[in-house]
Coordinates of all heavy atoms in Angstrom, one line a residue:
M1 N -19.4 -10.6 -101.5 CA -19.0 -9.6 -100.5 C -20.2 -9.1 -99.7 O -21.2 -8.6 -100.2 CB -18.4 -8.4 -101.3 CG -17.8 -7.3 -100.4 SD -17.2 -5.9 -101.4 CE -16.4 -6.7 -102.8
P2 N -20.1 -9.4 -98.4 CA -21.3 -9.0 -97.6 C -21.6 -7.5 -97.5 O -20.6 -6.7 -97.5 CB -21.0 -9.6 -96.2 CG -19.5 -9.9 -96.2 CD -19.1 -10.0 -97.6
Q3 N -22.8 -7.2 -97.5 CA -23.3 -5.8 -97.4 C -23.9 -5.6 -96.0 O -24.7 -6.4 -95.6 CB -24.3 -5.5 -98.4 CG -24.2 -4.2 -99.1 CD -25.3 -4.1 -100.2 OE1 -26.4 -4.5 -100.0 NE2 -24.8 -3.6 -101.3
I4 N -23.4 -4.6 -95.3 CA -23.8 -4.4 -93.9 C -24.3 -3.0 -93.8 O -23.7 -2.0 -94.3 CB -22.7 -4.7 -92.9 CG1 -22.3 -6.2 -93.0 CG2 -23.1 -4.3 -91.5 CD1 -21.1 -6.5 -92.1
T5 N -25.5 -2.8 -93.2 CA -26.1 -1.5 -93.0 C -25.9 -1.0 -91.6 O -26.3 -1.7 -90.6 CB -27.5 -1.5 -93.4 OG1 -27.6 -1.9 -94.8 CG2 -28.2 -0.1 -93.3
F6 N -25.5 0.3 -91.4 CA -25.4 0.9 -90.1 C -26.6 2.0 -90.1 O -26.7 2.8 -91.0 CB -24.1 1.6 -89.9 CG -22.9 0.6 -89.8 CD1 -22.3 0.1 -90.9 CD2 -22.5 0.2 -88.6 CE1 -21.3 -0.8 -90.9 CE2 -21.5 -0.7 -88.5 CZ -20.8 -1.2 -89.6
I7 N -27.4 2.0 -89.1 CA -28.5 2.9 -88.9 C -28.3 3.8 -87.8 O -28.1 3.3 -86.6 CB -29.8 2.1 -88.8 CG1 -30.0 1.1 -89.9 CG2 -31.0 3.1 -88.7 CD1 -31.1 0.1 -89.6
Q8 N -28.3 5.1 -88.0 CA -28.1 6.1 -87.0 C -29.4 6.3 -86.2 O -30.4 6.0 -86.7 CB -27.6 7.4 -87.6 CG -26.2 7.3 -88.2 CD -25.1 7.1 -87.2 OE1 -25.2 7.6 -86.0 NE2 -24.1 6.3 -87.6
P9 N -29.3 6.9 -85.0 CA -30.5 7.1 -84.2 C -31.5 8.0 -84.9 O -32.7 7.9 -84.7 CB -29.9 7.8 -82.9 CG -28.5 7.3 -82.8 CD -28.0 7.2 -84.2
D10 N -31.0 8.8 -85.8 CA -32.0 9.7 -86.6 C -32.5 9.0 -87.8 O -33.2 9.6 -88.6 CB -31.3 11.0 -86.9 CG -30.2 10.9 -87.9 OD1 -29.9 9.8 -88.4 OD2 -29.6 11.9 -88.2
G11 N -32.1 7.7 -88.0 CA -32.7 7.0 -89.2 C -31.8 7.0 -90.4 O -32.0 6.2 -91.3
R12 N -30.7 7.8 -90.4 CA -29.8 7.8 -91.5 C -29.2 6.4 -91.7 O -28.8 5.7 -90.7 CB -28.7 8.8 -91.4 CG -29.1 10.2 -91.7 CD -28.0 11.2 -91.6 NE -27.5 11.2 -90.2 CZ -26.2 11.0 -89.9 NH1 -25.3 10.8 -90.8 NH2 -25.8 11.0 -88.6
R13 N -29.0 5.9 -92.9 CA -28.5 4.6 -93.1 C -27.2 4.7 -94.0 O -27.2 5.4 -95.0 CB -29.5 3.7 -93.9 CG -30.8 3.6 -93.1 CD -31.9 3.1 -94.0 NE -31.7 1.7 -94.4 CZ -32.1 0.7 -93.7 NH1 -32.8 0.8 -92.6 NH2 -31.9 -0.6 -94.2
Q14 N -26.2 3.9 -93.7 CA -25.1 3.7 -94.5 C -25.0 2.2 -94.9 O -24.9 1.4 -94.0 CB -23.8 4.1 -93.8 CG -23.5 5.6 -93.8 CD -22.3 5.9 -92.9 OE1 -22.5 6.0 -91.7 NE2 -21.2 6.1 -93.5
V15 N -25.1 1.9 -96.2 CA -25.0 0.6 -96.6 C -23.5 0.4 -97.2 O -23.1 1.1 -98.1 CB -26.0 0.3 -97.8 CG1 -25.9 -1.2 -98.2 CG2 -27.4 0.6 -97.3
L16 N -22.8 -0.5 -96.5 CA -21.4 -0.6 -96.9 C -21.0 -2.1 -97.3 O -21.6 -3.0 -96.8 CB -20.5 -0.3 -95.6 CG -20.8 1.1 -95.0 CD1 -20.0 1.2 -93.7 CD2 -20.4 2.2 -96.0
E17 N -20.1 -2.1 -98.3 CA -19.6 -3.4 -98.7 C -18.5 -3.8 -97.8 O -17.5 -3.0 -97.6 CB -19.0 -3.3 -100.2 CG -20.1 -2.8 -101.2 CD -21.0 -4.0 -101.6 OE1 -20.6 -5.1 -101.3 OE2 -22.0 -3.7 -102.2
A18 N -18.5 -4.9 -97.2 CA -17.6 -5.3 -96.2 C -16.2 -5.6 -96.7 O -15.2 -5.5 -96.0 CB -18.1 -6.5 -95.3
A19 N -16.1 -6.0 -98.0 CA -14.8 -6.3 -98.6 C -13.9 -7.1 -97.6 O -14.4 -8.1 -97.2 CB -14.1 -5.0 -99.0
D20 N -12.7 -6.6 -97.3 CA -11.8 -7.4 -96.5 C -11.8 -6.9 -95.0 O -10.8 -7.2 -94.3 CB -10.4 -7.4 -97.1 CG -9.9 -6.0 -97.2 OD1 -10.6 -5.0 -96.9 OD2 -8.7 -5.9 -97.5
A21 N -12.8 -6.2 -94.6 CA -12.8 -5.8 -93.2 C -12.9 -7.1 -92.3 O -13.8 -7.9 -92.5 CB -14.0 -4.9 -92.9
P22 N -12.0 -7.2 -91.3 CA -12.1 -8.4 -90.4 C -13.3 -8.4 -89.5 O -13.8 -9.5 -89.2 CB -10.8 -8.3 -89.7 CG -10.3 -7.0 -89.8 CD -10.8 -6.4 -91.0
T23 N -13.7 -7.2 -89.0 CA -14.9 -7.2 -88.1 C -15.8 -6.1 -88.6 O -15.5 -5.2 -89.3 CB -14.4 -6.9 -86.7 OG1 -14.0 -5.6 -86.6 CG2 -13.3 -7.9 -86.2
V24 N -17.0 -6.1 -88.0 CA -18.0 -5.1 -88.3 C -17.4 -3.7 -87.8 O -17.7 -2.7 -88.4 CB -19.3 -5.4 -87.6 CG1 -20.3 -4.3 -87.7 CG2 -19.9 -6.7 -88.2
M25 N -16.7 -3.7 -86.7 CA -16.1 -2.4 -86.2 C -15.1 -1.9 -87.2 O -15.1 -0.7 -87.5 CB -15.4 -2.7 -84.9 CG -14.6 -1.5 -84.3 SD -13.0 -1.3 -85.0 CE -12.1 -2.5 -84.1
H26 N -14.2 -2.7 -87.8 CA -13.3 -2.3 -88.8 C -14.0 -1.6 -90.0 O -13.6 -0.6 -90.5 CB -12.4 -3.4 -89.3 CG -11.4 -3.8 -88.2 ND1 -11.6 -4.8 -87.3 CD2 -10.1 -3.4 -88.0 CE1 -10.5 -4.9 -86.6 NE2 -9.6 -4.1 -87.0
L27 N -15.1 -2.2 -90.4 CA -15.8 -1.7 -91.5 C -16.4 -0.3 -91.2 O -16.3 0.6 -92.0 CB -17.0 -2.6 -91.8 CG -17.9 -2.2 -93.0 CD1 -17.2 -2.1 -94.3 CD2 -19.1 -3.1 -93.1
A28 N -16.9 -0.2 -90.0 CA -17.4 1.1 -89.5 C -16.4 2.2 -89.5 O -16.5 3.3 -90.0 CB -18.1 1.0 -88.2
I29 N -15.2 1.9 -88.9 CA -14.1 2.8 -88.8 C -13.6 3.3 -90.2 O -13.4 4.4 -90.5 CB -13.0 2.2 -88.0 CG1 -13.4 2.0 -86.6 CG2 -11.7 3.1 -88.0 CD1 -13.9 3.2 -85.8
R30 N -13.5 2.3 -91.1 CA -13.0 2.6 -92.4 C -13.9 3.6 -93.2 O -13.5 4.3 -94.1 CB -12.8 1.3 -93.2 CG -11.6 0.5 -92.8 CD -11.6 -0.8 -93.6 NE -10.5 -1.6 -93.0 CZ -10.2 -2.9 -93.4 NH1 -10.9 -3.4 -94.4 NH2 -9.3 -3.5 -92.9
H31 N -15.2 3.6 -92.8 CA -16.1 4.4 -93.5 C -16.7 5.6 -92.6 O -17.7 6.2 -93.0 CB -17.3 3.6 -94.1 CG -16.9 2.6 -95.1 ND1 -16.8 3.0 -96.5 CD2 -16.4 1.4 -95.1 CE1 -16.4 1.9 -97.2 NE2 -16.1 1.0 -96.4
D32 N -16.0 5.8 -91.5 CA -16.3 7.0 -90.7 C -17.8 6.9 -90.3 O -18.5 8.0 -90.3 CB -16.0 8.3 -91.4 CG -14.5 8.5 -91.6 OD1 -13.8 8.1 -90.7 OD2 -14.2 9.0 -92.6
V33 N -18.3 5.8 -89.9 CA -19.6 5.7 -89.4 C -19.7 6.5 -88.1 O -18.9 6.2 -87.2 CB -20.1 4.2 -89.2 CG1 -21.4 4.1 -88.5 CG2 -20.1 3.5 -90.5
A34 N -20.6 7.4 -88.0 CA -20.8 8.2 -86.8 C -21.2 7.4 -85.5 O -21.9 6.4 -85.7 CB -21.8 9.3 -87.0
G35 N -20.7 7.8 -84.4 CA -21.2 7.2 -83.1 C -20.5 5.9 -82.7 O -20.9 5.3 -81.8
L36 N -19.4 5.6 -83.5 CA -18.7 4.3 -83.2 C -17.2 4.7 -83.1 O -16.4 4.3 -84.0 CB -18.9 3.3 -84.2 CG -20.3 2.6 -84.3 CD1 -20.5 1.7 -85.5 CD2 -20.5 1.8 -83.0
P37 N -16.8 5.3 -82.0 CA -15.3 5.7 -82.0 C -14.4 4.5 -81.8 O -13.2 4.6 -82.2 CB -15.3 6.6 -80.7 CG -16.5 6.3 -79.9 CD -17.5 5.9 -80.9
A38 N -14.9 3.4 -81.2 CA -14.0 2.2 -81.1 C -12.6 2.5 -80.6 O -11.6 2.2 -81.2 CB -14.0 1.4 -82.4
E39 N -12.6 3.2 -79.5 CA -11.4 3.8 -79.0 C -10.2 2.8 -78.8 O -9.1 3.2 -78.9 CB -11.7 4.6 -77.7 CG -12.5 5.8 -78.0 CD -13.1 6.4 -76.7 OE1 -12.9 5.9 -75.6 OE2 -13.8 7.4 -76.9
C40 N -10.5 1.6 -78.4 CA -9.4 0.6 -78.1 C -9.0 -0.1 -79.3 O -8.1 -1.0 -79.2 CB -9.8 -0.3 -77.0 SG -10.9 -1.7 -77.4
G41 N -9.6 0.1 -80.4 CA -9.2 -0.6 -81.7 C -9.5 -2.0 -81.7 O -8.8 -2.8 -82.5
G42 N -10.4 -2.5 -80.9 CA -10.9 -3.9 -81.0 C -10.3 -4.7 -79.9 O -10.3 -6.0 -80.1
Q43 N -9.7 -4.2 -78.9 CA -9.0 -4.9 -77.8 C -10.0 -5.4 -76.7 O -9.5 -5.8 -75.7 CB -7.9 -4.1 -77.3 CG -6.8 -3.8 -78.3 CD -6.2 -5.0 -79.0 OE1 -5.8 -5.9 -78.3 NE2 -6.3 -5.0 -80.3
L44 N -11.3 -5.1 -76.9 CA -12.3 -5.5 -75.9 C -12.0 -4.7 -74.6 O -12.0 -5.3 -73.5 CB -12.3 -7.0 -75.7 CG -13.5 -7.6 -75.0 CD1 -14.8 -7.2 -75.6 CD2 -13.4 -9.1 -74.9
A45 N -11.7 -3.5 -74.7 CA -11.3 -2.7 -73.5 C -12.0 -1.3 -73.4 O -11.6 -0.6 -72.5 CB -9.7 -2.5 -73.6
C46 N -12.9 -1.0 -74.3 CA -13.5 0.3 -74.3 C -15.0 0.4 -74.3 O -15.6 1.3 -73.8 CB -12.9 1.2 -75.4 SG -13.6 0.8 -77.0
A47 N -15.6 -0.6 -75.0 CA -17.1 -0.6 -75.1 C -17.6 0.7 -75.8 O -18.7 1.2 -75.5 CB -17.8 -0.8 -73.8
T48 N -16.8 1.2 -76.7 CA -17.3 2.4 -77.5 C -17.6 1.9 -79.0 O -17.4 2.7 -79.9 CB -16.3 3.5 -77.5 OG1 -15.0 3.1 -78.1 CG2 -16.1 4.1 -76.1
C49 N -17.9 0.7 -79.1 CA -18.3 0.1 -80.4 C -19.6 -0.6 -80.4 O -19.8 -1.6 -81.1 CB -17.1 -0.8 -80.9 SG -16.9 -2.3 -79.9
M50 N -20.5 -0.2 -79.4 CA -21.7 -0.9 -79.3 C -22.7 -0.7 -80.4 O -22.8 0.5 -80.9 CB -22.4 -0.5 -77.9 CG -21.6 -1.0 -76.7 SD -22.5 -0.8 -75.2 CE -22.3 1.0 -74.9
V51 N -23.4 -1.7 -80.8 CA -24.4 -1.7 -81.8 C -25.6 -2.5 -81.3 O -25.4 -3.4 -80.4 CB -24.0 -2.1 -83.2 CG1 -23.0 -1.2 -83.8 CG2 -23.6 -3.6 -83.2
D52 N -26.8 -2.3 -81.8 CA -28.0 -3.1 -81.5 C -28.3 -3.9 -82.8 O -28.5 -3.3 -83.8 CB -29.1 -2.2 -81.1 CG -28.9 -1.6 -79.7 OD1 -28.4 -2.3 -78.8 OD2 -29.1 -0.4 -79.6
V53 N -28.4 -5.2 -82.6 CA -28.7 -6.1 -83.6 C -30.2 -6.5 -83.6 O -30.7 -6.8 -82.5 CB -27.8 -7.4 -83.5 CG1 -28.2 -8.5 -84.5 CG2 -26.3 -7.1 -83.5
P54 N -30.9 -6.4 -84.7 CA -32.3 -6.6 -84.7 C -32.6 -8.1 -84.4 O -31.8 -9.0 -84.6 CB -32.8 -6.2 -86.0 CG -31.6 -6.3 -86.9 CD -30.4 -6.0 -86.0
P55 N -33.8 -8.4 -83.9 CA -34.2 -9.7 -83.5 C -33.9 -10.8 -84.6 O -33.4 -11.8 -84.2 CB -35.7 -9.6 -83.2 CG -35.9 -8.2 -82.8 CD -34.9 -7.4 -83.6
G56 N -34.2 -10.5 -85.8 CA -34.0 -11.5 -86.8 C -32.6 -11.9 -87.1 O -32.3 -13.0 -87.7
W57 N -31.7 -11.1 -86.6 CA -30.3 -11.4 -86.8 C -29.5 -12.0 -85.6 O -28.4 -12.5 -85.7 CB -29.5 -10.1 -87.3 CG -29.7 -10.0 -88.7 CD1 -30.6 -9.2 -89.4 CD2 -28.8 -10.6 -89.8 NE1 -30.4 -9.3 -90.8 CE2 -29.3 -10.1 -91.0 CE3 -27.7 -11.4 -89.7 CZ2 -28.7 -10.5 -92.2 CZ3 -27.2 -11.8 -90.9 CH2 -27.7 -11.4 -92.1
R58 N -30.1 -11.8 -84.4 CA -29.4 -12.1 -83.2 C -28.9 -13.6 -83.2 O -27.8 -13.9 -82.7 CB -30.3 -11.8 -82.0 CG -30.5 -10.4 -81.8 CD -31.4 -10.0 -80.7 NE -31.8 -8.6 -80.8 CZ -32.8 -8.1 -80.2 NH1 -33.6 -8.8 -79.4 NH2 -33.1 -6.8 -80.3
D59 N -29.7 -14.5 -83.6 CA -29.3 -15.9 -83.5 C -28.4 -16.3 -84.7 O -27.9 -17.4 -84.7 CB -30.6 -16.8 -83.6 CG -31.4 -16.7 -82.3 OD1 -30.8 -16.2 -81.3 OD2 -32.6 -17.1 -82.3
R60 N -28.3 -15.4 -85.6 CA -27.4 -15.7 -86.8 C -26.0 -15.3 -86.6 O -25.1 -15.6 -87.4 CB -28.0 -15.1 -88.1 CG -29.4 -15.6 -88.4 CD -30.2 -14.8 -89.4 NE -29.6 -14.9 -90.7 CZ -30.1 -14.3 -91.7 NH1 -31.2 -13.5 -91.6 NH2 -29.5 -14.3 -92.9
L61 N -25.7 -14.5 -85.5 CA -24.4 -14.1 -85.2 C -23.8 -15.1 -84.2 O -24.6 -15.6 -83.3 CB -24.4 -12.7 -84.6 CG -24.9 -11.6 -85.5 CD1 -24.8 -10.3 -84.8 CD2 -24.2 -11.6 -86.8
P62 N -22.5 -15.3 -84.2 CA -21.9 -16.1 -83.1 C -22.2 -15.4 -81.7 O -22.3 -14.1 -81.7 CB -20.4 -16.0 -83.3 CG -20.3 -15.6 -84.8 CD -21.5 -14.8 -85.1
P63 N -22.5 -16.1 -80.7 CA -22.9 -15.5 -79.4 C -21.8 -14.7 -78.8 O -20.6 -14.9 -79.1 CB -23.3 -16.7 -78.5 CG -22.6 -17.9 -79.2 CD -22.5 -17.6 -80.6
A64 N -22.2 -13.7 -78.0 CA -21.2 -12.9 -77.3 C -20.5 -13.7 -76.3 O -21.1 -14.5 -75.6 CB -21.9 -11.7 -76.7
S65 N -19.2 -13.5 -76.2 CA -18.4 -14.2 -75.1 C -18.8 -13.6 -73.8 O -19.3 -12.4 -73.7 CB -16.9 -14.0 -75.4 OG -16.6 -12.6 -75.2
P66 N -18.4 -14.3 -72.7 CA -18.6 -13.7 -71.4 C -17.9 -12.4 -71.2 O -18.4 -11.5 -70.6 CB -18.1 -14.8 -70.4 CG -18.3 -16.1 -71.2 CD -18.0 -15.7 -72.6
D67 N -16.7 -12.3 -71.8 CA -16.0 -11.0 -71.6 C -16.7 -9.9 -72.3 O -16.7 -8.7 -71.8 CB -14.5 -11.2 -72.2 CG -13.6 -12.0 -71.3 OD1 -14.0 -12.2 -70.1 OD2 -12.6 -12.4 -71.8
E68 N -17.2 -10.1 -73.5 CA -18.0 -9.1 -74.2 C -19.2 -8.7 -73.4 O -19.5 -7.5 -73.2 CB -18.4 -9.6 -75.6 CG -19.2 -8.6 -76.4 CD -19.7 -9.1 -77.8 OE1 -19.2 -10.2 -78.2 OE2 -20.5 -8.4 -78.4
Q69 N -19.9 -9.7 -72.9 CA -21.1 -9.3 -72.1 C -20.7 -8.5 -70.8 O -21.4 -7.6 -70.5 CB -21.8 -10.6 -71.7 CG -22.4 -11.3 -72.9 CD -23.2 -12.6 -72.5 OE1 -22.7 -13.3 -71.6 NE2 -24.2 -12.9 -73.3
D70 N -19.6 -8.9 -70.2 CA -19.2 -8.2 -69.0 C -18.8 -6.8 -69.3 O -19.1 -5.9 -68.6 CB -17.9 -8.9 -68.4 CG -18.3 -10.2 -67.7 OD1 -19.5 -10.5 -67.5 OD2 -17.4 -10.9 -67.3
M71 N -18.2 -6.6 -70.5 CA -17.8 -5.2 -70.8 C -19.0 -4.3 -71.1 O -19.0 -3.2 -70.6 CB -16.9 -5.3 -72.1 CG -16.4 -3.9 -72.6 SD -15.3 -3.1 -71.5 CE -13.9 -4.2 -71.6
I72 N -20.0 -4.9 -71.7 CA -21.2 -4.1 -71.9 C -21.9 -3.8 -70.6 O -22.3 -2.7 -70.3 CB -22.2 -4.9 -72.8 CG1 -21.6 -5.0 -74.2 CG2 -23.6 -4.1 -72.9 CD1 -22.3 -5.9 -75.2
E73 N -22.0 -4.8 -69.7 CA -22.7 -4.6 -68.4 C -21.9 -3.6 -67.6 O -22.5 -2.8 -66.9 CB -22.8 -6.0 -67.7 CG -23.6 -5.8 -66.4 CD -24.1 -7.2 -65.9 OE1 -23.7 -8.2 -66.4 OE2 -24.9 -7.1 -65.0
D74 N -20.6 -3.7 -67.6 CA -19.8 -2.8 -66.8 C -20.0 -1.4 -67.2 O -19.9 -0.4 -66.5 CB -18.3 -3.2 -66.8 CG -18.0 -4.4 -66.0 OD1 -18.9 -4.9 -65.3 OD2 -16.9 -5.0 -66.2
T75 N -20.3 -1.2 -68.5 CA -20.4 0.1 -69.1 C -21.8 0.8 -68.9 O -21.9 1.9 -68.6 CB -20.0 0.1 -70.6 OG1 -18.7 -0.5 -70.7 CG2 -20.0 1.5 -71.2
I76 N -22.8 0.0 -69.2 CA -24.2 0.6 -69.1 C -25.1 -0.1 -68.1 O -26.2 0.3 -68.0 CB -24.8 0.5 -70.5 CG1 -25.0 -0.9 -71.0 CG2 -24.1 1.4 -71.5 CD1 -25.8 -1.1 -72.3
G77 N -24.5 -1.0 -67.3 CA -25.3 -1.6 -66.2 C -26.2 -2.8 -66.5 O -26.8 -3.3 -65.6
S78 N -26.3 -3.1 -67.8 CA -27.1 -4.3 -68.2 C -26.6 -4.7 -69.6 O -25.9 -3.9 -70.2 CB -28.6 -3.9 -68.2 OG -28.9 -3.0 -69.1
V79 N -27.2 -5.8 -70.1 CA -26.9 -6.2 -71.4 C -28.2 -6.3 -72.2 O -28.9 -7.3 -72.1 CB -26.1 -7.5 -71.5 CG1 -25.8 -7.9 -72.9 CG2 -24.9 -7.5 -70.6
P80 N -28.6 -5.2 -72.8 CA -29.9 -5.2 -73.6 C -29.9 -6.3 -74.6 O -28.8 -6.6 -75.2 CB -30.0 -3.8 -74.2 CG -29.1 -3.0 -73.4 CD -28.0 -3.9 -72.9
E81 N -31.1 -6.9 -74.9 CA -31.2 -7.9 -76.0 C -30.6 -7.3 -77.3 O -31.0 -6.2 -77.7 CB -32.6 -8.3 -76.2 CG -33.2 -9.2 -75.2 CD -32.7 -10.6 -75.3 OE1 -32.5 -11.1 -76.4 OE2 -32.4 -11.2 -74.2
G82 N -29.7 -8.0 -77.9 CA -29.2 -7.6 -79.2 C -28.0 -6.7 -79.1 O -27.4 -6.4 -80.2
R83 N -27.7 -6.2 -77.9 CA -26.5 -5.3 -77.8 C -25.2 -6.1 -78.0 O -25.0 -7.1 -77.3 CB -26.6 -4.6 -76.5 CG -25.5 -3.6 -76.2 CD -25.5 -2.4 -77.1 NE -26.7 -1.6 -77.2 CZ -26.9 -0.5 -76.5 NH1 -25.9 0.0 -75.7 NH2 -28.0 0.2 -76.6
R84 N -24.4 -5.6 -78.9 CA -23.1 -6.3 -79.1 C -22.0 -5.2 -79.2 O -22.2 -4.0 -79.5 CB -23.1 -7.0 -80.5 CG -24.1 -8.2 -80.5 CD -23.8 -9.3 -79.6 NE -22.5 -9.9 -79.7 CZ -22.2 -10.9 -80.5 NH1 -23.2 -11.6 -81.1 NH2 -21.0 -11.4 -80.5
L85 N -20.8 -5.7 -79.0 CA -19.6 -4.9 -79.3 C -19.2 -5.3 -80.7 O -18.8 -6.5 -81.0 CB -18.5 -5.2 -78.3 CG -18.8 -4.8 -76.9 CD1 -17.6 -5.2 -76.0 CD2 -19.1 -3.4 -76.7
C86 N -19.3 -4.4 -81.7 CA -19.1 -4.8 -83.1 C -17.7 -5.2 -83.4 O -17.4 -5.8 -84.5 CB -19.7 -3.9 -84.1 SG -19.0 -2.2 -84.2
C87 N -16.7 -4.9 -82.5 CA -15.3 -5.3 -82.8 C -15.2 -6.8 -82.5 O -14.2 -7.4 -82.9 CB -14.3 -4.6 -81.9 SG -14.4 -5.0 -80.1
Q88 N -16.2 -7.4 -81.9 CA -16.2 -8.8 -81.6 C -17.1 -9.6 -82.6 O -17.2 -10.8 -82.4 CB -16.7 -9.1 -80.2 CG -15.9 -8.4 -79.1 CD -14.5 -8.8 -79.1 OE1 -14.2 -10.0 -78.9 NE2 -13.6 -7.8 -79.3
V89 N -17.6 -9.0 -83.6 CA -18.4 -9.6 -84.6 C -17.6 -9.7 -85.9 O -17.4 -8.7 -86.6 CB -19.7 -8.9 -84.9 CG1 -20.5 -9.6 -85.9 CG2 -20.5 -8.8 -83.6
A90 N -17.1 -10.9 -86.2 CA -16.3 -11.1 -87.4 C -17.1 -11.0 -88.7 O -18.3 -11.5 -88.6 CB -15.6 -12.4 -87.4
V91 N -16.6 -10.4 -89.7 CA -17.3 -10.3 -91.0 C -17.2 -11.7 -91.7 O -16.0 -12.2 -91.9 CB -16.8 -9.2 -91.9 CG1 -17.4 -9.3 -93.3 CG2 -17.1 -7.8 -91.2
T92 N -18.3 -12.3 -92.0 CA -18.3 -13.5 -92.9 C -19.3 -13.3 -93.9 O -20.2 -12.4 -93.8 CB -18.7 -14.7 -92.0 OG1 -20.0 -14.6 -91.6 CG2 -17.8 -14.8 -90.8
P93 N -19.3 -14.2 -95.0 CA -20.3 -14.0 -96.0 C -21.7 -14.2 -95.4 O -22.7 -13.6 -96.0 CB -20.0 -15.2 -97.0 CG -18.5 -15.4 -96.8 CD -18.3 -15.1 -95.3
A94 N -21.9 -14.9 -94.3 CA -23.2 -15.1 -93.7 C -23.8 -13.8 -93.2 O -25.0 -13.8 -92.9 CB -23.1 -16.1 -92.6
L95 N -23.0 -12.8 -93.1 CA -23.5 -11.5 -92.6 C -24.1 -10.6 -93.7 O -24.6 -9.5 -93.4 CB -22.4 -10.7 -91.9 CG -21.8 -11.3 -90.6 CD1 -21.1 -10.2 -89.8 CD2 -22.9 -11.9 -89.7
D96 N -24.2 -11.1 -94.9 CA -24.7 -10.3 -96.0 C -26.2 -9.9 -95.7 O -27.0 -10.8 -95.4 CB -24.7 -11.1 -97.3 CG -25.1 -10.2 -98.4 OD1 -24.7 -9.0 -98.5 OD2 -25.8 -10.7 -99.3
G97 N -26.4 -8.6 -95.6 CA -27.8 -8.1 -95.3 C -27.9 -7.7 -93.9 O -29.0 -7.1 -93.6
L98 N -26.9 -7.9 -93.1 CA -27.0 -7.5 -91.7 C -27.3 -6.0 -91.5 O -26.7 -5.2 -92.2 CB -25.7 -7.8 -90.9 CG -25.6 -7.3 -89.5 CD1 -26.6 -8.0 -88.6 CD2 -24.2 -7.6 -89.0
E99 N -28.2 -5.6 -90.6 CA -28.4 -4.2 -90.3 C -28.2 -4.1 -88.8 O -28.7 -4.8 -88.0 CB -29.8 -3.8 -90.6 CG -30.1 -3.8 -92.1 CD -31.5 -3.3 -92.5 OE1 -32.3 -3.0 -91.6 OE2 -31.7 -3.0 -93.7
V100 N -27.4 -3.1 -88.4 CA -27.2 -2.8 -87.0 C -27.5 -1.4 -86.7 O -27.3 -0.5 -87.6 CB -25.7 -3.1 -86.6 CG1 -25.4 -4.6 -86.7 CG2 -24.7 -2.3 -87.3
A101 N -28.0 -1.1 -85.5 CA -28.4 0.2 -85.1 C -27.3 0.8 -84.2 O -26.9 0.1 -83.3 CB -29.7 0.2 -84.5
V102 N -26.9 2.0 -84.5 CA -25.9 2.7 -83.6 C -26.7 3.3 -82.4 O -27.6 4.1 -82.7 CB -25.1 3.7 -84.4 CG1 -24.1 4.4 -83.4 CG2 -24.4 3.1 -85.5
P103 N -26.3 3.0 -81.2 CA -27.1 3.6 -80.1 C -26.9 5.1 -80.0 O -25.9 5.6 -80.5 CB -26.6 2.8 -78.9 CG -25.3 2.3 -79.2 CD -25.3 2.1 -80.7
E104 N -27.8 5.8 -79.2 CA -27.6 7.2 -79.0 C -26.3 7.6 -78.4 O -25.7 8.6 -78.7 CB -28.8 7.7 -78.1 CG -30.2 7.7 -78.7 CD -30.5 8.9 -79.5 OE1 -29.6 9.9 -79.5 OE2 -31.5 9.0 -80.1
T105 N -25.9 6.7 -77.4 CA -24.6 7.0 -76.7 C -23.9 5.7 -76.6 O -24.4 4.6 -76.7 CB -24.8 7.6 -75.3 OG1 -25.5 6.6 -74.5 CG2 -25.6 8.8 -75.3
Q106 N -22.6 5.8 -76.3 CA -21.8 4.6 -76.2 C -21.5 4.3 -74.7 O -20.5 3.7 -74.4 CB -20.5 4.7 -77.0 CG -20.6 4.7 -78.4 CD -21.0 3.2 -78.9 OE1 -20.7 2.3 -78.3 NE2 -21.7 3.1 -80.0
G107 N -22.3 4.8 -73.8 CA -22.1 4.5 -72.4 C -22.2 5.7 -71.5 O -22.7 6.7 -71.8
Ligands
FES201 S1 -13.4 -1.3 -80.0 FE1 -13.0 -1.3 -77.9 S2 -14.3 -2.9 -77.1 FE2 -14.7 -2.8 -79.3

């Protein structure tokens, strides 16, 4: 069962067992991770599920689709390195140990 860590802007960490969560966003919602309202429920329509993936993990995740990149850019004006919509990141065993940072704001 993959373990995924969410890091808040103030450094607080939540280490969560992904169990049967289909995406990183679902895992965050189930555990009330702060700063990730995920208002559209994973429909790629809100960009309120942004996280920052550290350099060592960026190439280990499936790349962001053009639609995901467009949604981020439309929301904050650019696509910072490692910025992802966590509703678009499926949980797989390969994500065990992933750490993502929750940004100060969601747009
Ligand atoms: S939850 Fe809305 S885009 Fe991810």
Side-chain angles (χ1 to χ4, degrees):
M1 183 180 324
Q3 224 175 41
I4 297 174
T5 300
F6 293 85
I7 306 169
Q8 293 295 323
D10 66 2
R12 281 182 300 126
R13 302 165 67 88
Q14 278 173 280
V15 182
L16 303 175
E17 300 282 345
D20 59 351
T23 70
V24 174
M25 177 277 284
H26 286 90
L27 178 63
I29 295 301
R30 287 177 186 176
H31 292 273
D32 294 322
V33 173
L36 288 174
E39 290 166 359
C40 79
Q43 300 302 306
L44 198 52
C46 73
T48 61
C49 63
M50 290 191 283
V51 295
D52 291 315
V53 177
W57 275 95
R58 291 174 190 164
D59 291 342
R60 297 166 69 179
L61 301 182
S65 70
D67 286 345
E68 181 182 346
Q69 292 179 327
D70 287 350
M71 180 65 68
I72 295 170
E73 184 164 11
D74 289 350
T75 303
I76 61 173
S78 65
V79 184
E81 285 287 320
R83 181 62 58 99
R84 297 296 303 265
L85 299 178
C86 67
C87 71
Q88 302 300 301
V89 180
V91 172
T92 68
L95 296 196
D96 187 37
L98 173 67
E99 295 187 348
V100 296
V102 179
E104 291 274 357
T105 65
Q106 289 289 334

